[in-house]
Amino acid sequence: YHMAVIIADLGEHYIVHLSGEELSRCAQVCKTLRTIVESDETNSWKKCCRAEFGIIEPCTPPRLGSKQLVSFCLAWQSWRKEFSEFYNTPEDALLLQRAACCWGDLKIWLQDNAAPIAGSLAPGLSRLEFTALDREGHLPLAAKAIYRIHNGQLPVAVSAVLDPHSPTSRANAWNGLFGGYIFYEHIVNMRMPSLDEAFRIGSRRARQFKWHADDGSRARATGGLIPSPPEKPIAFAVSFAKMGRPEKTYILHNGTGHIYVPREDLVMLCCNPPATSTA
């Protein structure tokens, strides 16, 4: 009896500092600790779900429909099982955590300020679906985490967005995840395409770009980050232009992990140069 009281007292004081993985192990020690852990009275599981997966409600991952669950303990287990391949190393788990929390924070803001954009997010890819699209393993693991949680945005009818006689349809030009604007007939709608579409657009568009600087000044202007053409270019974000062709394209380079955008002369400009860059 006294040991049970001691365990319960220690559990209530220290359990709030444990990670989800540690809570799971703690629940296997004895019945008393398991009861404390699973009761969730200390909101420990809620804190773990928020810190590790960026969710503020107990729900399944987007690929499983974001269904409401009865507890944060079950929610943590659902997410942990869905993304189990990221837990081989602490570094991989950290990448998943950063991607999940980024998506989580973004969705919280979108739901409060731009609900149509939040509703345009597509469910994530399954492990098998992702592997089928990236058979050679060209994509960096961080990109895998991003598309496993949300596979970009749902497709939109380009003709509807560009219809000058439909104010409602023109409003859809603002539903790009990365922003957009309309200036007379010039429409920029930076959307995040699904991974399969990103591969198709990236392969077609990347051939038009210059991946090597013609002179030293251009190399300095891009922070010295002008690599060889990517083996598998990914159009991470695209905008619509007339006739439905992407007007502006941000390319994720599978080799460097950086995102590039073409200048007017089609030389690729790195969007995240190193801190030592003079750009």
Side-chain angles (χ1 to χ4, degrees):
Y1 170 79
H2 294 292
M3 181 59 68
V5 173
I6 293 174
I7 291 175
D9 187 55
L10 288 174
E12 290 177 356
H13 284 83
Y14 291 98
I15 200 173
V16 295
H17 303 291
L18 300 180
S19 66
E21 188 72 28
E22 292 167 337
L23 284 172
S24 298
R25 294 177 182 176
C26 187
Q28 300 175 21
V29 173
C30 64
K31 291 182 179 180
T32 303
L33 278 178
R34 180 171 184 172
T35 301
I36 296 172
V37 168
E38 293 184 349
S39 69
D40 210 16
E41 293 179 357
T42 60
N43 289 325
S44 300
W45 285 110
K46 181 177 182 180
K47 294 176 183 176
C48 290
C49 285
R50 183 69 179 96
E52 297 179 34
F53 303 120
I55 58 176
I56 58 176
E57 297 291 340
C59 61
T60 62
R63 190 185 73 83
L64 303 179
S66 297
K67 298 176 182 177
Q68 289 290 313
L69 299 173
V70 296
S71 70
F72 280 99
C73 177
L74 292 177
W76 186 90
Q77 293 172 356
S78 177
W79 281 74
R80 180 66 171 76
K81 180 179 180 181
E82 173 67 17
F83 298 100
S84 58
E85 75 268 25
F86 287 90
Y87 290 89
N88 295 321
T89 67
E91 293 78 15
D92 292 356
L94 181 60
L95 284 176
L96 173 65
Q97 178 182 346
R98 292 176 61 186
C101 288
C102 181
W103 274 122
D105 291 342
L106 181 59
K107 287 193 291 183
I108 291 173
W109 187 91
L110 289 174
Q111 288 164 359
D112 291 338
N113 300 278
I117 299 180
S120 74
L121 297 179
L125 293 169
S126 70
R127 191 186 313 183
L128 292 178
E129 288 171 335
F130 184 91
T131 302
L133 290 171
D134 188 36
R135 293 187 180 89
E136 296 83 9
H138 286 306
L139 272 178
L141 192 63
K144 179 179 182 180
I146 291 172
Y147 286 103
R148 285 276 279 111
I149 298 172
H150 280 292
N151 186 26
Q153 293 182 267
L154 297 171
V156 63
V158 178
S159 58
V161 174
L162 299 175
D163 182 1
H165 304 294
S166 175
T168 302
S169 296
R170 285 174 67 85
N172 289 334
W174 296 91
N175 287 350
L177 181 61
F178 302 107
Y181 61 88
I182 301 176
F183 185 73
Y184 292 99
E185 293 303 315
H186 182 66
I187 300 176
V188 172
N189 175 41
M190 297 307 300
R191 298 179 60 85
M192 181 179 177
S194 62
L195 185 58
D196 56 339
E197 185 182 4
F199 277 140
R200 289 196 301 269
I201 297 175
S203 297
R204 183 173 69 249
R205 294 281 287 169
R207 290 191 289 266
Q208 305 171 14
F209 304 142
K210 300 176 182 178
W211 291 92
H212 296 281
D214 296 334
D215 54 56
S217 62
R218 286 184 178 175
R220 287 191 297 273
T222 56
L225 291 174
I226 302 183
S228 300
E231 296 180 24
K232 195 82 170 180
I234 303 108
F236 191 75
V238 297
S239 68
F240 292 131
K242 297 217 181 258
M243 304 305 293
R245 299 180 62 186
E247 175 186 48
K248 192 171 187 178
T249 310
Y250 285 80
I251 297 291
L252 173 62
H253 194 295
N254 64 283
T256 67
H258 294 301
I259 294 178
Y260 298 82
V261 63
R263 302 188 308 195
E264 291 185 5
D265 57 3
L266 298 182
V267 171
M268 298 305 286
L269 177 66
C270 183
C271 297
N272 48 339
T276 55
S277 170
T278 57

